[in-house]
Amino acid sequence: MDFKELLEKSWKSFTAFLPALLVNTLVLLVVSVFTLGILAPVCTAGYIQSLLLAIRDDRKPEIGDLFSHMNLFLPLLGFFIVAGMVIFVGFLLLVLPGIIAAIALYFFCLYMLPLMTDKGMGLIEAVKESSRMAMEDPVVEHVAVVAIYIGITALGQVVPFGIVFAMPFATLFLLYAFEEKCGVETGKAQPEKRREPEAAAPPPPPP
């Protein structure tokens, strides 16, 4: 996995769709805050699929994309409630278990949302497939993807309003890595299959 190429592709898509990305990110954050996080998981799923279509089909992200996967509302809400409780309890007991739980969630479930929105997988199936992809050799590449994703996101939280810029860029990087894991070449036109000429019909038999 060429991380320099992934970052360059992410930057190219980020700058190409910058206004739309910033608007969608702001709307996602506002919706998440005003709904007390209830709509955050399902809107994040729509957000991720919107960015995936941007890098795959050169399609401009739209605000309506955030609400395009409302059918996943209940499973995603339940998953994030359980995950949040596990991490919270881990931090209550000792800080270290909470950190380990959060890192494990990132590591094994990093590709869960695009697998659900793009591949149509159910929650359990997506978690299993994301875990399988995470453990593919070389595992160190996935560790690097997780580290870069968390690093970009964390950097955006340090700088005022930085998350508005860091979140879409980190997500684009994640999705380019996801596409490479799935063996999909983004941004390249697929060669057309040459159509073989039809064989000439045999002449009719003589009378």
Side-chain angles (χ1 to χ4, degrees), residues 160-181:
F161 302 104
I163 191 63
V164 179
F165 295 88
M167 185 176 177
F169 183 72
T171 304
L172 287 169
F173 171 78
L174 163 65
L175 292 174
Y176 272 114
F178 171 75
E179 291 286 80
E180 185 162 326
K181 279 275 191 179

Side-chain angles (χ1 to χ4, degrees), residues 19-38:
L21 289 174
L22 296 183
V23 170
N24 271 24
T25 305
L26 278 171
V27 173
L28 173 61
L29 295 174
V30 170
V31 169
S32 300
V33 171
F34 275 86
T35 62
L36 302 179
I38 294 176

Side-chain angles (χ1 to χ4, degrees), residues 47-110:
Y47 179 83
I48 285 179
Q49 184 64 19
S50 179
L51 269 62
L52 184 58
L53 293 177
I55 67 175
R56 184 185 292 167
D57 301 332
D58 201 31
R59 175 185 176 276
K60 179 182 176 182
E62 300 176 356
I63 294 176
D65 296 338
L66 301 177
F67 309 97
S68 60
H69 289 277
M70 296 304 291
N71 59 306
L72 301 177
F73 172 73
L74 287 179
L76 287 180
L77 181 62
F79 175 83
F80 279 92
I81 287 176
V82 172
M85 289 177 62
V86 170
I87 295 173
F88 179 71
V89 171
F91 275 106
L92 281 181
L93 297 176
L94 288 171
V95 175
L96 186 58
I99 295 176
I100 293 175
I103 293 176
L105 183 67
Y106 271 110
F107 183 85
F108 290 107
C109 300
L110 192 65

Side-chain angles (χ1 to χ4, degrees), residues 132-207:
R132 185 197 65 78
M133 293 170 67
M135 296 303 295
E136 280 182 343
D137 289 329
V139 178
V140 66
E141 286 190 348
H142 182 67
V143 172
V145 171
V146 174
I148 293 173
Y149 177 79
I150 294 177
I152 295 173
T153 306
L155 183 62
Q157 294 175 346
V158 173
V159 181
F161 302 104
I163 191 63
V164 179
F165 295 88
M167 185 176 177
F169 183 72
T171 304
L172 287 169
F173 171 78
L174 163 65
L175 292 174
Y176 272 114
F178 171 75
E179 291 286 80
E180 185 162 326
K181 279 275 191 179
C182 294
V184 179
E185 292 190 6
T186 53
K188 295 183 180 180
Q190 298 297 321
E192 294 184 2
K193 293 183 179 180
R194 296 184 61 182
R195 187 176 179 181
E196 298 293 334
E198 296 181 359

